[in-house]
Amino acid sequence: MPSNNPLRRRSFLKSTAALSLLGMSGVVSAKPGRNPGPKKDEILVGVSKNRDTKKAVAQHVPGNAEIVHENKELSYAAVKFPSHASTRARENFISAVTKGDDIKYAERNTTHSTLYTANDPKLGSQYAPQQVNANDAWDTTLGSSDVTVAVVDQGVKYDHPDLSARFGSNTGYDFVDDDSDPMPDVLSDEFHGTHVAGIAAGTTDNNEGVGGISNSTLLSGRALSESGRGSTSDIADAIQWAADQGADVVNLSLGGGGYTQTMKNAVSYATTNGTAVIAAAGNDSSGSVSYPAAYSEAIAVSALDPDETLASYSNYGSKLDLAAPGTNVLSCWTTSTQYKEISGTSMATPVVSGVAALALSEYSLSPADLRQHLKNTAVNVGLPSNKQGAGRVDAANAVNTSPSPPGNGDSKETTRSGSLSSRSDSDGSTYSWAYSSPSQVVLELSGPSSADFDLYASEGTGTPPTTRSFDHRSWTTNSQEQIVIDNPDSSAALGILVDSYSGSGDYTLTITEKK
């Protein structure tokens, strides 16, 4: 699997800064006339990695539709129907195309939105950095420019007095307008990305405005338009691109599109390539975490009021990882006001991203280890776990506490090898626990680049899962898969299935159990 060494990734980012403005690795530019923002008339079709994406999809496209976009790295194509086409026409296409041998999925190009709640501006001091004890963390480090936080959001006003020092020559990419300048189009309307960037990394100790949580390098992936809305494809492309640029953290202060395989693949791609994905739990006051925060690889963040109670607007649920201040958070603004307070899980998320960047300034951590470290060092504020996760993120603890693996640090690694001969061939097996109550188990599959292998797991059954009945699945368009299970059910052996969606060859399965 790709290295998770932050030093290697950061060196790569610096060395490619000038070149990255010329193109997007693995992404084919949109056709002229492709509208920015939501793309409700499009269907995203995922194709097995070892196939020609466009060719595999084209044979199924009806005469009134066309392929308008392709992401080769994530192996999907966007098929656009005319706006007057009926819902049934799109549903018929989804039904027909998914019968193709090389087609992995087809789904609507759903719309995601910013997750903030507007408030009247207040002339108050910042409280968020103090609440997460950033002041104490700053005695150790203000953060390092070698750590990069990518803000996938609206564009960022990168010449803001409190942000300009945080950007290098590569300010980012605009996936809405398909150009190399992520500056907001309409400053008075497009403030969200700038506010988010200021929370995570507004320059601290510069006698200017506010202090962000960390002095990390910023990268802007503009994937939401001035309306605050954007398509799954634009956001997924931006996540993949940010990972390819060597970003250490991707901040996703957005949601509302539901589960999509395209977004899941993008989040999986980022974490597999060493980029931590931190996402907002949602602003619906719902008892379930929204996507993309709800994906197993993402770090899901709820919002707290200044008194550390759960904000009335914040989503919560079993998939929550951490909580952070999100109400009336002061940060950078795009107009002459320059600074303003707004609220939302959108604001809580970059607090966690900033703390993550501080931790990465001190320690070399993979995304999984970073997630665990932030949870281990979080502070219990007296809320149930479905409202605060492991607790309120704490910068001082994250910086001044040496990272430790889950549990007591003991781990057992087992490697298994196998071979699949053809499409739909599979290997089912079970894994007997080394520890009576493991805190975490990580399954990592590495298969041939010419095939598309998938990984499944089931808990508490003692039998292998099937492709239709499972508890966990990693189902990207290639053969590099990972499943992380926290506090697994060890009452029976863990069931594992390696399945060939297409192709053949040898694979290696690594099972790491942590006590």
Side-chain angles (χ1 to χ4, degrees):
M1 297 182 68
S3 169
N4 287 337
N5 185 337
L7 296 179
R8 181 195 67 79
R9 294 171 54 72
R10 294 168 196 161
S11 298
F12 173 79
L13 177 66
K14 286 184 174 181
S15 67
T16 59
L19 295 177
S20 61
L21 293 177
L22 301 178
M24 301 170 289
S25 175
V27 178
V28 175
S29 298
K31 284 188 173 183
R34 180 172 161 82
N35 293 327
K39 297 174 175 62
K40 297 179 180 179
D41 298 324
E42 293 183 5
I43 303 297
L44 304 181
V45 184
V47 179
S48 286
K49 190 72 172 182
N50 58 323
R51 299 292 188 264
D52 183 309
T53 305
K54 269 192 172 181
K55 185 176 180 180
V57 175
Q59 60 185 310
H60 301 284
V61 177
N64 64 336
E66 62 174 334
I67 296 175
V68 293
H69 179 67
E70 178 189 14
N71 184 314
K72 293 181 179 179
E73 193 61 60
L74 297 180
S75 299
Y76 79 84
V79 177
K80 187 178 188 302
F81 283 75
S83 58
H84 59 75
S86 66
T87 299
R88 180 174 293 277
R90 296 182 183 85
E91 291 174 348
N92 288 342
F93 171 69
I94 290 175
S95 177
V97 73
T98 49
K99 293 177 182 176
D101 289 344
D102 300 328
I103 306 302
K104 196 132 194 186
Y105 67 86
E107 60 194 10
R108 289 182 172 275
N109 197 353
T110 55
T111 299
H112 302 257
S113 304
T114 56
L115 293 174
Y116 79 96
T117 302
N119 245 327
D120 292 332
K122 296 180 179 181
L123 295 176
S125 61
Q126 285 180 274
Y127 79 94
Q130 290 83 353
Q131 192 172 67
V132 300
N133 293 318
N135 288 6
D136 292 335
W138 293 338
D139 288 338
T140 301
T141 179
L142 289 173
S144 170
S145 60
D146 286 338
V147 177
T148 298
V149 176
V151 177
V152 174
D153 205 291
Q154 289 182 328
V156 176
K157 190 176 188 298
Y158 49 76
D159 60 359
H160 187 286
D162 247 338
L163 296 177
S164 58
R166 305 272 54 84
F167 283 91
S169 59
N170 179 8
T171 55
Y173 199 89
D174 187 339
F175 292 84
V176 178
D177 294 335
D178 193 24
D179 61 47
S180 58
D181 186 0
M183 179 70 74
D185 281 358
V186 182
L187 291 175
S188 60
D189 295 337
E190 195 172 338
F191 49 80
H192 189 269
T194 300
H195 198 272
V196 166
I199 296 170
T203 307
T204 300
D205 199 29
N206 66 339
N207 292 315
E208 181 74 48
V210 299
I213 302 295
S214 69
N215 276 355
S216 56
T217 293
L218 286 168
L219 196 63
S220 173
R222 184 174 183 254
L224 305 180
S225 69
E226 54 269 20
S227 69
R229 305 171 73 207
S231 67
T232 291
S233 58
D234 285 346
I235 297 165
D237 288 355
I239 294 170
Q240 174 245 309
W241 169 86
D244 286 348
Q245 301 309 298
D248 299 281
V249 175
V250 167
N251 187 97
L252 299 178
S253 290
L254 49 83
Y259 183 102
T260 71
Q261 193 60 45
T262 303
M263 189 77 79
K264 173 69 161 62
N265 288 349
V267 173
S268 297
Y269 179 90
T271 53
T272 299
N273 283 279
T275 301
V277 177
I278 302 177
N283 286 1
D284 302 321
S285 306
S286 167
S288 61
V289 174
S290 69
Y291 290 98
Y295 296 127
S296 59
E297 299 94 337
I299 299 173
V301 182
S302 65
L304 301 176
D305 284 337
D307 63 358
E308 297 198 324
T309 58
L310 185 73
S312 60
Y313 52 80
S314 180
N315 287 15
Y316 55 95
S318 60
K319 294 185 177 180
L320 197 65
D321 292 298
L322 294 163
T327 300
N328 296 337
V329 178
L330 183 66
S331 185
C332 301
W333 207 250
T334 50
T335 64
S336 58
T337 305
Q338 290 202 322
Y339 304 97
K340 191 172 180 179
E341 292 179 1
I342 56 176
S343 304
T345 52
S346 273
M347 285 59 255
T349 303
V351 172
V352 176
S353 292
V355 173
L358 286 177
L360 290 173
S361 298
E362 292 294 299
Y363 310 108
S364 176
L365 297 167
S366 70
D369 288 342
L370 173 63
R371 174 191 193 138
Q372 195 61 46
H373 180 61
L374 295 178
K375 293 173 76 169
N376 287 346
T377 56
V379 174
N380 184 346
V381 295
L383 296 173
S385 60
N386 69 336
K387 293 186 177 180
Q388 68 169 354
R392 189 257 299 141
V393 71
D394 192 279
N397 289 347
V399 165
N400 296 318
T401 305
S402 296
S404 61
N408 66 5
D410 292 340
S411 64
K412 177 180 176 60
E413 183 176 292
T414 301
T415 300
R416 299 177 178 179
S417 299
S419 181
L420 300 179
S421 61
S422 62
R423 177 183 175 85
S424 298
D425 187 17
S426 62
D427 282 348
S429 63
T430 59
Y431 171 79
S432 297
W433 301 102
Y435 306 115
S436 57
S437 298
S439 62
Q440 187 183 82
V441 62
V442 180
L443 307 178
E444 295 175 287
L445 175 67
S446 179
S449 59
S450 60
D452 180 3
F453 291 178
D454 298 322
L455 181 63
Y456 300 79
S458 58
E459 300 179 62
T461 64
T463 59
T466 69
T467 57
R468 293 181 179 274
S469 178
F470 53 86
D471 293 319
H472 307 277
R473 176 178 72 175
S474 183
W475 200 60
T476 66
T477 53
N478 59 33
S479 298
Q480 309 303 310
E481 309 290 350
Q482 183 185 78
I483 293 174
V484 178
I485 308 173
D486 292 322
N487 301 311
D489 181 350
S490 58
S491 62
L494 180 70
I496 302 171
L497 181 75
V498 179
D499 179 74
S500 171
Y501 187 87
S502 66
S504 61
D506 299 332
Y507 68 83
T508 300
L509 176 65
T510 302
I511 305 169
T512 304
E513 184 183 344
K514 301 179 181 180
K515 190 172 180 180

